[in-house]
Amino acid sequence: NENMQESIKYFEKPAKMGNLGAMMRLGEIFGEGMKVEKNFLRSYQWYNKAVEAGNSGALVNLGVLYSKGDKTLPRDLVKEFECYERAAKAGRGMGALNAGLAYKTGRGVPRDLNKAVEYFRLAAEMDNAGSLPFDKLAECYALGLGVERDDKKYGEYTLESAKRDDPQSISTVGRFYYYGMCGFEKNWKEARDWYEKSVIKGNTNNLYELVNILSSAKDPVLWDGEKAVMYAHKLQSIMRVPPLLFAQA
């Protein structure tokens, strides 16, 4: 593509002069095959230059290249892990998260759930990798992976994940408040608020509970007949059940 070749030339000049953004963009162009043939080796070269110039975040991109591999750069799970480990040591939460996932699944390193939890905790402490480290810690405590099973900690980490906008965690926190579980006291006002956030995110798993809260005669403060009907119709359209089932919700 002629336009993309011009774009490559446009980014190459500042990249060769040490511009990190241009290096990263070129790595992305060749790594994703953006209107050019994918070439992981060329992508690697630009990301590696970014690392050498001080962008430790590019180490994660190098790890992703090694995780996939192509005809120009062989797949190498050991080198993939090494990239994530270096990124974690440089303070990159996504590197620590991916290193934890490698230990959790035995990808490029021997499977070690204790080390997986250590890296997930490290990523959570760095708090620059979004909700995923907290989501993974919640999973570990829910299932007893590398730690003793602990419902309260499962709840705490799920809440931290929800605060960082993870849709499934938002829904789960609503359920914790609805039923009063995993260290949460039963609180239908909180449940309503979290469930409504969940619906906005596109999650429809808790519509029945939401309808029940909004149409409950036990708590007139929470009662909202108009919203209850709106959510009931939404649930009806998903489940394809007769509307009469919601008359006594």
Side-chain angles (χ1 to χ4, degrees):
N1 185 294
E2 193 173 317
N3 289 336
M4 182 51 69
Q5 291 303 322
E6 287 298 317
S7 294
I8 290 170
K9 289 179 184 178
Y10 174 82
F11 287 113
E12 277 182 341
K13 186 175 180 179
K16 288 175 181 178
M17 295 174 68
N19 185 291
L20 285 171
M23 293 176 194
M24 294 296 289
R25 184 60 173 164
L26 287 166
E28 182 184 15
I29 287 170
F30 289 112
E32 297 294 328
M34 298 170 67
K35 296 184 180 179
V36 295
E37 185 178 356
K38 277 188 182 182
N39 188 314
F40 280 10
L41 179 58
R42 292 188 72 179
S43 178
Y44 173 92
Q45 290 167 342
W46 284 114
Y47 283 139
N48 195 50
K49 285 181 184 294
V51 172
E52 291 171 349
N55 186 347
S56 57
L59 284 163
V60 177
N61 301 68
L62 292 178
V64 172
L65 292 177
Y66 276 126
S67 75
K68 299 176 180 177
D70 73 351
K71 61 185 179 182
T72 66
L73 185 77
R75 187 169 185 251
D76 191 324
L77 300 185
V78 173
K79 287 184 178 179
E80 176 197 4
F81 173 78
E82 289 172 352
C83 289
Y84 298 149
E85 188 176 42
R86 286 175 62 195
K89 289 177 179 177
R92 296 288 178 167
M94 193 57 71
L97 173 67
N98 286 349
L101 291 171
Y103 274 120
K104 183 173 180 282
T105 59
R107 184 183 176 89
V109 288
R111 189 167 188 254
D112 188 326
L113 294 177
N114 293 323
K115 285 187 177 180
V117 171
E118 286 178 19
Y119 272 106
F120 293 151
R121 283 202 184 108
L122 179 61
E125 288 166 10
M126 292 174 183
D127 202 8
N128 56 22
S131 63
L132 281 171
F134 301 94
D135 182 56
K136 290 302 171 186
L137 284 168
E139 179 188 0
C140 289
Y141 279 106
L143 302 176
L145 302 176
V147 290
E148 286 189 23
R149 192 175 180 278
D150 188 323
D151 285 346
K152 187 174 181 182
K153 285 190 179 293
Y154 165 44
E156 289 171 358
Y157 281 117
T158 300
L159 178 59
E160 291 302 319
S161 179
K163 287 178 179 177
R164 288 158 181 80
D165 222 26
D166 176 63
Q168 187 55 52
S169 297
I170 290 170
S171 171
T172 303
V173 168
R175 181 163 54 86
F176 290 161
Y177 277 117
Y178 184 85
Y179 291 105
M181 55 191 290
C182 296
F184 291 71
E185 290 186 12
K186 188 174 181 178
N187 185 324
W188 275 19
K189 181 181 181 302
E190 287 285 349
R192 178 201 63 190
D193 292 346
W194 284 101
Y195 280 156
E196 289 199 305
K197 287 180 187 177
S198 180
V199 172
I200 291 169
K201 293 285 183 184
N203 192 328
T204 58
N205 292 338
N206 305 112
L207 281 173
Y208 182 83
E209 289 91 340
L210 185 54
V211 170
N212 194 35
I213 293 169
L214 295 171
S215 61
S216 174
K218 296 177 183 177
D219 193 339
V221 175
L222 291 176
W223 190 89
D224 189 326
E226 187 176 340
K227 275 190 176 181
V229 170
M230 178 184 74
Y231 289 128
H233 282 307
K234 190 175 182 69
L235 180 58
Q236 177 197 344
S237 67
I238 294 167
M239 298 180 66
R240 296 181 181 177
V241 293
L244 286 177
L245 287 182
F246 301 108
Q248 298 177 1

